[in-house]
Amino acid sequence: MGNLARKLQQEHRNQPQKQIVQTPKKAKARNPWLSPGEKLLGLAFAGIVCFGAVNIVSNQAEIYGLNKAIQDTKVSIQEQERVNGDLEMQVSELSTYERIWEKAKELGLKLNENNVKVVQD
């Protein structure tokens, strides 16, 4: 038996040892959170939202400019109306009958009742 034991021992030595080979774990195929089509749609939506926001802001800026121009025009109209009112007051003061009669006397004009025509409005 000794011979048999030695034989088994030699065979055991000559036999290549079984190495534990770890098979590489396959990486789990991660499903992306969003598919490429969804990413494209999201990008297009974000672009449209940004474009709309810029468009709204530019329209508001234009409206603000127009409102400012309208207010400036209203102020100039009120100022011109005040000037016109002052001028109308001066005209009414200067066109009184007494003042016209005094100016006519200064210029040497005399009242001739035969040449006077009455004009009514």
Side-chain angles (χ1 to χ4, degrees):
M1 279 241 269
N3 207 7
L4 184 60
R6 215 180 258 184
K7 212 179 202 183
L8 280 174
Q9 207 174 28
Q10 280 180 354
E11 279 181 24
H12 188 60
R13 281 187 193 161
N14 287 342
Q15 218 176 31
Q17 291 182 353
K18 292 183 181 179
Q19 295 178 353
I20 300 174
V21 178
Q22 291 182 349
T23 57
K25 292 183 180 179
K26 293 182 180 178
K28 289 184 179 179
R30 290 183 56 186
N31 291 338
W33 185 58
L34 295 173
S35 69
E38 290 172 336
K39 289 178 183 176
L40 183 63
L41 285 175
L43 185 63
F45 179 73
I48 290 170
V49 167
C50 289
F51 176 75
V54 167
N55 196 10
I56 288 172
V57 169
S58 66
N59 284 344
Q60 288 297 325
E62 188 175 337
I63 289 170
Y64 174 76
L66 289 175
N67 283 339
K68 187 174 184 298
I70 289 170
Q71 292 299 322
D72 291 343
T73 304
K74 284 182 179 180
V75 167
S76 66
I77 288 172
Q78 289 174 350
E79 187 175 315
Q80 189 62 44
E81 285 177 347
R82 184 183 51 81
V83 168
N84 288 349
D86 292 344
L87 291 175
E88 285 178 6
M89 190 182 306
Q90 284 181 358
V91 166
S92 65
E93 288 173 0
L94 295 175
S95 65
T96 60
Y97 181 76
E98 291 81 23
R99 183 179 175 283
I100 293 173
W101 182 244
E102 288 175 15
K103 284 291 184 179
K105 283 185 181 178
E106 286 177 13
L107 294 173
L109 298 175
K110 295 181 183 178
L111 181 62
N112 185 354
E113 296 284 334
N114 294 332
N115 286 336
V116 173
K117 292 183 181 178
V118 178
V119 177
Q120 295 180 353
D121 288 336

